[in-house]
Amino acid sequence: MSPRSPQATPDFRRLVQEASLARDWLFMRRRVTEFRIERRTLLAGLALAAGAGSSALAATKLETVEVVTSRGRTRFQVEIAATKAEQARGLMFRKSLAPDRGMLFTYTRPQPVAYWMKNTLIPLDILYIQADGRVLSIARNARPHDLTPLASGGPVLGVLEIAGGRAAQLGILPGDRVLHRIFPK
């Protein structure tokens, strides 16, 4: 066993420290690159989605929802938002919504829900629909960008979003019937 020289230990420690710093630097550089790629991908996706805007409604398969009121029947062509991702996006970033169009949010079981208008550019009427197809409550002319939760007031199986003011124009009231495949006939 040879004796250590007094300078060998500090040099070794300095080399180990520099190697550790280099390893940390490489790790952080890789993480920053991954973050930039993820960020770029996210921004590209958002730009694509925002660019699609109102044309996204036309590109999606539409289903018919019929609302039966004391004044008669009205049909809407709606997108179905069944997945969590579809429900999270909803009608965000849409610049317009035709009077006969909308979005139906569906759930697998009745539950209380609350909606907000984050990133929603247009006013909406939000119809909360019970499991039997009856309108439980209506949030009328929900304000764009408003973060106030608009609660259903009870368990619902579906939520229909239509252009703001349409529920009043058509005389839609709580208790009116909504016809769609998710509701029993």
Side-chain angles (χ1 to χ4, degrees), residues 57 60-65 78-83 86-87 102-106 180-182:
L57 189 60
T60 303
K61 182 179 178 281
L62 300 175
E63 294 187 21
T64 301
V65 168
V78 299
E79 289 180 75
I80 303 298
T83 68
E86 292 166 339
Q87 291 174 353
M103 181 173 281
L104 180 64
F105 297 76
T106 63
H180 183 264
R181 63 180 168 78
I182 70 164

Side-chain angles (χ1 to χ4, degrees), residues 32-95:
V32 166
T33 302
E34 290 170 2
F35 173 75
R36 284 185 183 149
I37 290 170
E38 289 173 12
R39 195 176 113 207
R40 248 186 249 136
T41 303
L42 176 64
L43 291 175
L46 286 174
L48 180 63
S54 59
S55 66
L57 189 60
T60 303
K61 182 179 178 281
L62 300 175
E63 294 187 21
T64 301
V65 168
E66 192 169 4
V67 181
V68 181
T69 70
S70 61
R71 292 188 192 173
R73 295 171 175 249
T74 303
R75 290 182 175 208
F76 293 94
Q77 295 301 308
V78 299
E79 289 180 75
I80 303 298
T83 68
K84 290 194 183 288
E86 292 166 339
Q87 291 174 353
R89 180 160 172 87
L91 291 173
M92 289 181 177
F93 307 110
R94 304 284 173 94
K95 294 178 182 172

Side-chain angles (χ1 to χ4, degrees), residues 116-124 141-147:
W116 64 357
M117 297 291 286
K118 181 177 183 179
N119 297 324
T120 306
L121 308 177
I122 54 176
L124 297 173
N141 274 311
R143 292 189 324 258
H145 305 290
D146 189 359
L147 299 182

